[in-house]
Amino acid sequence: MESALLQGLNPNQRQAVQTIDGPLLMLAGPGSGKTRVVTHRLAYMLEQGVPPSRLLALTFTNKAAQEMRSRLERLVGPAPVWMGTFHGFCARLLRQYAPLVGLPSNFNIYDVDDSTACLRTAVEAAKFSLTHVSLGTLANRISYYKNRLVTPETLQAEGLSSDEHAVAQVYPFYQRQLLNSGAVDFDDLLMHTAMLLRSAPELRSELDERYQYVMVDEYQDTNLAQYVIVRHLAIDYPNLAVTGDPDQSIYGWRGANLKNVSYLERDYPNTQIIRLEQNYRSTPEILSVADGLIQNNQYRKHKRLVPSRAAGEPVRLVAYATGRREAEDIVAQIVAAANSGKRQLRDFAILVRTNAHSRLIEQTLVRQQIPYQLIGGFRFYMRKEIKDLVSYLLLLHNPQDDVAWERAINTPPRGIGKQTIAKLKALAGQHRVSLLEACRLALQGAMLGKKIAAGLRQFLDIQDRCVELVHGSLLDLVEAMIEMTDYRSYLLRCHQADGAGDKDALANLDELLAEAAELDRQSLEASPLEVFLEYAALQSDTDRLSTNNCVTVMTLHAAKGLEFPVVFIIAVEENILPHQRSKDDPLAVEEERRLLFVGITRAQDQLQLSYAKRRAFRDSETPGIPSSFLMELPRSDMQCVDLSEPDPFGFDPIDHNDDAYASLSGRWDESEFSQLAEETTAEDASVLEEAEFCQLPADELPQQVIAKLKGRITTAAQLAGDTAAVRQSEQVFRIGRVVTHPEYGSGRIIAASGKGPKRSVTIDFFSSGEQRDFRLSHARLSIESDE
DNA sequence: ACTCGTAGCCTTTTT
DNA sequence: GGCTACGAGT
């Protein structure tokens, strides 16, 4: 009697589902039905009588875990299988065994913000100067070491290059600071757990026994710490099943190590390897492009992508004049397809290399009033108003937490300034107590001014009164916190100063309350506060992906594991994809290539790759060079379109109709392609030409040129980097002038500040009544009238 | 102690 | 084009 779970699977998939004992490596290409196999395999194990509590399934994102759970439940109904992220699993484990690694069991989990604050303190404590190494670099390096299980001590013992010397200097201070505050960062969750399993053999074997079947998703993206964790859980019961695709390894920068595949083969010599190469997702055209690209990776085992779908449309490769044109054309294509009823908005994804590249796309979507979701921007729990309140909760949960204390102590302002904080820090250091405790000492010692003492007392009062609420309902606690800090009126005060936006912040508070209420409803075990804080720290915004009917905009990284009928990948340009920071390292370039491979293989029916010949970058505009990856694609099978419409004046008309250039499609010839690639040198002629035009007095220009120039004057002045032109624009855009913005209409300049390329003006718009700041060098502003 | 203006940094990707 | 640390002014 064959299990129903095996029906509709190909032979390899069946074999994977039925292999439940012993080590197993599933090499699953994109679109090979991996999630299906994995969930069917779990269901099959349950069907074979494996108790659900013996199973452990580890994923990278909460979203992946949720997906797995819901699909498993559809097959077998609710089952108490532990499924979740590595970080979530580690947090839960550490909560139980914290003392064994020297942590308090009420440790707090820091997000990037808190960790950075902590690192800053550590840098101060180490008396380290940030002139040569940035805070971000330090954070990255420390994170990298932690993921490779290098402790501060081992790092110091090793021979150090000059750069690493800096890291070695700060790392111990950072770690001590974390421990002092009774906190861990993301990487610590993994590192402490790995150390714990290594150093406590009895516990290790107990857990090995408890989790007899361990499954790891996206194995190609695991780092050493994660391997050590998994390895220690699967020694006595070596039933370790991992799925992965080396071609989709895109987290090397985070310490992911493809060697983990060879470690697996070393530690489990009898590992069964099953290849899932049949692709059910994409058209043969798309797969051929993906394959043509990935063949160029040198450090790679040969692997196939076997198409199973019927032929479809050719992959499009499009050149645009500017990033703006790119955005406008893509949005126009989406609108056209949606209006014709052929597609829904949810069918489209626009993928970008870095978060910053989403901005133009976003603006264009807003202007066309197309609903969209942006993944990879700001996490909900990173918003200021949420973080402020969470800090109070963190401090409540763990009074040792000095980072939370420092955020909360003067938010909203209650007269505790730098001086006072310095005093309290000194006091805390002297008595070796937390900053919260130092507040009490300072009040007892009557060493502060009246006003300051009153502020401190108020702060302590909030803490003391909330402590009583900790074990009650979370909603009550958060509500009380907002009341006592008078946080709502603080928000109102903040926003009165800078105009609009207060609605969002207040709405976010409501959403926070809603989430608290939700957790109250489902809270089963332990402290709801703890569950909530863990949720706040480990929730990523990728997890908030919705299925509403809207266009999705996200980074290539965030797109992993997803699929869309139509995919646009923008800015496929040299120094963007591959990224500038990767180009000196051949291995890093290969990772960039894999990143593009991941993007391409997200597409089911249609795919468009594009680049722009000029692209705005920070304060200037740079020539865009087509990515070298584009040369590697089988272009004879693709549809190559040049929409970059050469312009006699070297700039874009602002008001153009989409169809004015949409009809201009031609084939590239090879020469143009390589020519563009060679034009790597700085300013291209058209940019300079544009600048010259703009220094002419407006009435000396022909009418039609003026019409086109209108709105671009300041940009050109800035591009020239010419002080005379900049000064001129400063004179023209002075307070009181009425100006026009292509998006917001007319308004009056009410304030101006800065000089040179940083010169900016505040404009009060007539139609909306809104005030906005613009940098003259960048904004598309034009003069409407004299005085 | 707080407020405002400014220069300088930044951004690659994420749990 | 945004954010923030720092400094001058209140």
Side-chain angles (χ1 to χ4, degrees):
Chain A
M1 215 344 249
E2 188 183 271
S3 165
L5 291 165
L6 296 172
Q7 280 166 24
L9 301 179
N10 72 33
N12 282 4
Q13 290 178 328
R14 273 168 182 246
Q15 199 196 340
V17 168
Q18 287 176 291
T19 307
I20 60 178
D21 288 309
L24 171 67
L25 169 61
M26 287 173 268
L27 288 172
S32 59
K34 182 196 66 179
T35 312
R36 185 144 180 259
V37 169
V38 162
T39 46
H40 279 243
R41 186 170 173 275
L42 286 171
Y44 186 78
M45 291 166 93
L46 296 175
E47 196 180 84
Q48 297 291 307
V50 176
S53 59
R54 296 278 179 247
L55 296 177
L56 173 64
L58 296 171
T59 62
F60 272 77
T61 62
N62 295 300
K63 188 187 66 199
Q66 276 161 24
E67 168 82 8
M68 203 185 283
R69 172 167 305 283
S70 69
R71 284 173 74 159
L72 180 65
E73 286 185 359
R74 234 176 292 152
L75 291 175
V76 300
V81 178
W82 208 96
M83 282 183 217
T85 64
F86 265 100
H87 290 82
F89 175 71
C90 291
R92 203 191 80 156
L93 210 59
L94 285 176
R95 209 52 93 184
Q96 249 183 90
Y97 304 104
L100 292 180
V101 289
L103 285 170
S105 46
N106 63 338
F107 65 85
N108 280 338
I109 302 172
Y110 282 173
D111 66 11
V112 184
D113 253 23
D114 303 322
S115 307
T116 310
C118 192
L119 183 59
R120 190 168 276 125
T121 319
V123 166
E124 271 170 42
K127 298 199 174 58
F128 181 82
S129 151
L130 285 174
T131 44
H132 292 291
V133 190
S134 74
L135 213 55
T137 309
L138 280 176
N140 277 335
R141 296 304 300 163
I142 291 176
S143 165
Y144 182 81
Y145 281 125
K146 286 187 173 181
N147 287 321
R148 311 205 49 134
L149 300 180
V150 178
T151 61
E153 298 76 33
T154 38
L155 181 60
Q156 282 191 316
E158 279 171 31
L160 302 165
S161 76
S162 59
D163 243 24
E164 297 311 280
H165 191 75
V167 183
Q169 224 181 314
V170 177
Y171 186 9
F173 282 90
Y174 173 63
Q175 207 56 9
R176 199 168 311 147
Q177 179 69 28
L178 281 171
L179 287 177
N180 268 348
S181 292
V184 299
D185 64 16
F186 286 150
D187 306 312
D188 280 342
L189 288 171
L190 303 178
M191 187 168 78
H192 285 314
T193 305
M195 299 296 190
L196 174 67
L197 291 172
R198 256 187 188 174
S199 59
E202 333 65 44
L203 175 61
R204 189 212 65 74
S205 62
E206 186 193 318
L207 291 169
D208 194 338
E209 167 119 29
R210 187 188 313 166
Y211 300 114
Q212 292 176 3
Y213 295 86
V214 179
M215 212 211 72
V216 180
D217 197 20
E218 308 280 11
Y219 184 72
Q220 77 282 352
D221 285 327
T222 51
N223 54 42
L224 184 67
Q226 286 161 326
Y227 179 70
V228 167
I229 292 167
V230 168
R231 165 67 182 154
H232 282 80
L233 293 176
I235 294 175
D236 307 330
Y237 295 86
N239 307 314
L240 174 60
V242 307
T243 67
D245 177 5
D247 288 335
Q248 295 185 66
S249 162
I250 54 176
Y251 286 98
W253 51 274
R254 203 168 86 185
N257 196 344
L258 276 178
K259 281 196 194 133
N260 281 1
V261 177
S262 34
Y263 292 159
L264 188 78
E265 289 170 332
R266 180 196 65 194
D267 294 339
Y268 301 91
N270 59 337
T271 298
Q272 265 210 66
I273 301 179
I274 297 177
R275 292 167 182 274
L276 303 176
E277 293 180 316
Q278 192 78 36
N279 181 296
Y280 299 99
R281 177 185 296 153
S282 314
T283 64
E285 288 83 357
I286 292 167
L287 292 180
S288 137
V289 170
D291 202 45
L293 176 73
I294 205 66
Q295 297 287 346
N296 289 277
N297 270 4
Q298 305 294 312
Y299 305 93
R300 167 176 188 267
K301 283 186 190 167
H302 181 72
K303 208 164 107 280
R304 291 182 307 161
L305 287 173
V306 183
S308 58
R309 288 186 53 182
E313 295 172 36
V315 173
R316 274 162 56 92
L317 175 50
V318 184
Y320 295 101
T322 62
R324 181 168 295 274
R325 286 290 197 75
E326 184 181 50
E328 284 166 352
D329 180 57
I330 287 172
V331 172
Q333 286 187 49
I334 292 175
V335 170
N339 284 346
S340 74
K342 272 190 231 134
R343 297 277 183 201
Q344 293 188 293
L345 292 178
R346 69 163 62 88
D347 294 341
F348 298 95
I350 302 173
L351 307 184
V352 299
R353 175 62 180 87
T354 74
N355 283 309
H357 288 125
S358 63
R359 192 162 295 143
L360 260 183
I361 299 284
E362 210 183 345
Q363 277 173 12
T364 312
L365 287 164
V366 168
R367 200 170 326 141
Q368 306 277 334
Q369 305 189 340
I370 310 294
Y372 69 95
Q373 58 179 334
L374 180 71
I375 311 293
F378 244 63
R379 291 173 26 187
F380 176 70
Y381 284 98
M382 288 284 266
R383 287 168 205 277
K384 182 196 177 308
E385 57 275 12
I386 304 300
K387 281 233 66 172
D388 284 346
L389 287 168
V390 168
S391 296
Y392 279 90
L393 295 174
L394 282 170
L395 190 55
L396 211 53
H397 177 245
N398 177 0
Q400 292 289 113
D401 191 336
D402 288 351
V403 172
W405 178 91
E406 197 156 346
R407 176 152 199 145
I409 185 67
N410 205 31
T411 325
R414 51 175 73 87
I416 317 287
K418 254 201 188 126
Q419 301 284 333
T420 316
I421 290 177
K423 258 188 225 171
L424 289 167
K425 277 186 177 171
L427 193 66
Q430 231 177 305
H431 293 81
R432 303 197 156 274
V433 295
S434 68
L435 285 165
L436 187 66
E437 199 49 42
C439 292
R440 296 188 202 280
L441 288 179
L443 281 179
Q444 279 163 22
M447 53 197 289
L448 300 166
K450 242 188 190 167
K451 225 176 157 180
I452 297 171
L456 267 193
R457 224 169 267 125
Q458 191 218 350
F459 178 73
L460 289 174
D461 194 43
I462 296 173
Q463 288 297 317
D464 295 340
R465 278 162 55 193
C466 286
V467 166
E468 297 163 19
L469 300 173
V470 162
H471 296 288
S473 118
L474 198 54
L475 181 64
D476 290 347
L477 176 61
V478 179
E479 189 66 76
M481 196 83 88
I482 294 176
E483 290 300 319
M484 278 187 257
T485 51
D486 207 10
Y487 199 81
R488 284 202 179 83
S489 53
Y490 164 64
L491 274 185
L492 288 174
R493 256 178 291 142
C494 285
H495 290 297
Q496 259 157 19
D498 56 39
D502 48 323
K503 274 195 213 97
D504 277 357
L506 286 174
N508 284 338
L509 284 196
D510 289 338
E511 200 176 328
L512 182 73
L513 288 169
E515 299 217 0
E518 174 61 32
L519 269 180
D520 274 337
R521 226 165 293 137
Q522 49 177 267
S523 110
L524 353 119
E525 17 144 16
S527 140
L529 178 60
E530 201 161 277
V531 175
F532 182 67
L533 289 173
E534 201 165 292
Y535 178 77
L538 297 179
Q539 186 76 5
S540 81
D541 65 350
T542 326
D543 303 328
R544 310 190 132 233
L545 192 75
S546 89
T547 52
N548 292 345
N549 191 21
C550 63
V551 176
T552 301
V553 183
M554 64 176 136
T555 62
L556 288 160
H557 283 89
K560 198 175 66 163
L562 303 176
E563 60 185 6
F564 298 90
V566 186
V567 169
F568 297 90
I569 304 178
I570 68 162
V572 189
E573 290 156 33
E574 210 58 18
N575 295 328
I576 295 178
L577 181 60
H579 195 269
Q580 189 165 16
R581 304 259 284 244
S582 300
K583 70 177 172 196
D584 296 330
D585 177 357
L587 283 178
V589 172
E590 296 217 339
E591 180 156 315
E592 297 280 323
R593 195 178 277 112
R594 290 194 293 267
L595 192 53
L596 181 55
F597 175 80
V598 166
I600 291 171
T601 52
R602 297 312 94 199
Q604 296 172 305
D605 308 336
Q606 286 176 278
L607 171 67
Q608 169 179 317
L609 308 174
S610 62
Y611 75 90
K613 293 184 177 174
R614 299 198 332 264
R615 186 173 297 279
F617 179 65
R618 296 210 184 137
D619 233 353
S620 61
E621 208 167 42
T622 52
I625 305 147
S627 166
S628 52
F629 293 159
L630 293 178
M631 324 294 174
E632 301 170 356
L633 306 181
R635 267 186 297 133
S636 51
D637 300 341
M638 300 166 66
Q639 184 191 4
C640 301
V641 188
D642 188 346
L643 296 182
S644 67
E645 188 190 12
D647 184 295
F649 301 106
F651 56 80
D652 280 336
I654 289 303
D655 310 305
H656 60 264
N657 287 321
D658 290 325
D659 27 24
Y661 61 92
S663 59
L664 269 174
S665 64
R667 290 237 157 201
W668 265 318
D669 56 351
E670 294 287 332
S671 61
E672 192 199 350
F673 221 115
S674 46
Q675 197 187 333
L676 266 164
E678 278 163 26
E679 281 177 21
T680 54
T681 42
E683 283 80 16
D684 60 347
S686 63
V687 171
L688 291 174
E689 201 177 292
E690 182 178 350
E692 274 168 28
F693 263 114
C694 301
Q695 285 173 36
L696 293 171
D699 32 359
E700 279 179 45
L701 295 170
Q703 268 323 104
Q704 62 187 62
V705 177
I706 294 174
K708 285 188 163 189
L709 271 179
K710 201 173 176 186
R712 292 284 297 208
I713 293 178
T714 50
T715 301
Q718 175 271 325
L719 275 176
D722 181 324
T723 46
V726 171
R727 226 176 291 133
Q728 195 187 13
S729 73
E730 280 179 29
Q731 279 165 20
V732 175
F733 291 94
R734 56 179 185 271
I735 294 173
R737 272 283 167 104
V738 174
V739 296
T740 306
H741 187 278
E743 214 168 305
Y744 305 107
S746 357
R748 187 185 301 276
I749 299 180
I750 56 167
S753 63
K755 49 177 172 262
K758 288 264 173 182
R759 179 78 174 173
S760 63
V761 293
T762 306
I763 297 171
D764 188 13
F765 286 103
F766 301 141
S767 54
S768 60
E770 276 178 310
Q771 293 179 8
R772 282 172 192 278
D773 283 339
F774 294 94
R775 203 168 283 186
L776 274 190
S777 59
H778 222 76
R780 291 171 297 149
L781 293 170
S782 51
I783 296 294
E784 192 163 274
S785 72
D786 288 329
E787 303 299 78

